[in-house]
Amino acid sequence: MSELHGHHILLGVSGGIAAYKSPEIVRRLREAGAEVRVVMTAAARAFVQPLTFQAVSGRPVHHDLLDADAEAAMGHIELARWADHVLIAPASADLMARLAQGLADDLLTTLCLATDAPISLAPAMNRLMWANPATRENRETLLRRGFHLLGPGEGDQACGEVGAGRMWEPEALVAALAAPASRGPLRGRRVLITAGPTREAIDPVRYLSNRSTGRMGFAIAAAAAERGATVTMVAGPCESATPCGVERIDVESAAEMHAVVMARLADTDVFIAAAAVADYRAARQAPAKIKKADGGEGLTLELVPNPDILAEVAGAAEGRPYVVGFAAETERLAEYAEAKRRRKGADMIAANWVGRPGSGFESERNALEVFWDGGHASLADAPKAELASNLMDLIVERAYGQR
Ligand code: C5P
């Protein structure tokens, strides 16, 4: 029987062109055995007729907060109580802003305040609206408050642009709602992951960094969330979309990453250091842009070491989590990786070959050799999502003795 059988799903539809796909979500949810009620914002009704949703859901559509008849039949409190899960698809930038503010100025925002059911948002908007700091801050606020994020994806947009902001397809949204994360082996566990590169400022316009895209760390965050963990990802500057349900804290430098990780350590059961942290930073950050010398002479930059976040977490005296590190090697992989694991005091280290075409940095695929005290496993070349899933199974097995 489907995971969604008998579930009450309240679909909120806000005003965006992606609303034309929302009736398909209703259809698929019902196929999966769920009961669906639809609440539309005023802007959503400019895109799709309520009658369409009434036809596919088999129920009247709700949209007025202050309609006496509607309130008598099924008002905001009843709707909020009825729902086992609220899915808002599409979630527009405006709706996310109103939710982040805690407004209750229409039926949908009001019932979101009044429900204790989980709320999942499927954002859909132009890529610049998604990247706008205002939207980003609203997203962080909502994640902190326990909202789940499903997407957005990347690709062609209705406005003719290409980038992050596309609503996930109905099929992916329904699959995410049906995912058995709530029964996963990491339910109740808190996983902290570092991902991406760091940027070490030299002056206000220049920095030292590396080619890490963060893809592996993001894939690991998704794999941990799929297994039911509460996942926080501390990410250096990277483009990848935040996996659904993952709290993301953006940082720039190794020092910032270090500070966030240390502040979260007491609330962490598993720490996975997937970031490519810069080993060095400029000893002094110039307050103004460094000028090119006229005489053609060189410039010497003094570098000092950054804190080794992995080693510090592994060496924590109290409440030490299960610690997983990464290693990138160009030769003698097994020997160097195991030596690094011991030196840093990690429980597990996942090593990959770099400098070989088609794997490692900037690649969609990778392979890993994984080492722990007294054991070793080879995870074969695969897309990063699959590899992350296999690695997560190994972590669950080693850390908790189960799959
Ligand atoms: O020493 P190396 O950089 O090769 O070690 C790689 C591992 O250590 C990775 O897991 C990386 O995330 C972590 N690391 C860290 N802090 C540093 C340097 C590396 O957490 N400053």
Side-chain angles (χ1 to χ4, degrees), residues 200-201 208 253-255 278-284 302-307:
E200 310 300 326
L208 294 170
S253 65
D279 291 325
Y280 297 95
R281 67 177 183 276
R284 281 164 300 278
E302 191 194 337
L303 301 179
V304 293
N306 269 327

Side-chain angles (χ1 to χ4, degrees), residues 273 275 277 279 307-310 325-326 340 344:
V277 185
D279 291 325
D308 190 321
I309 306 170
L310 174 62
F326 275 76
K340 183 175 289 180
K344 297 211 181 208

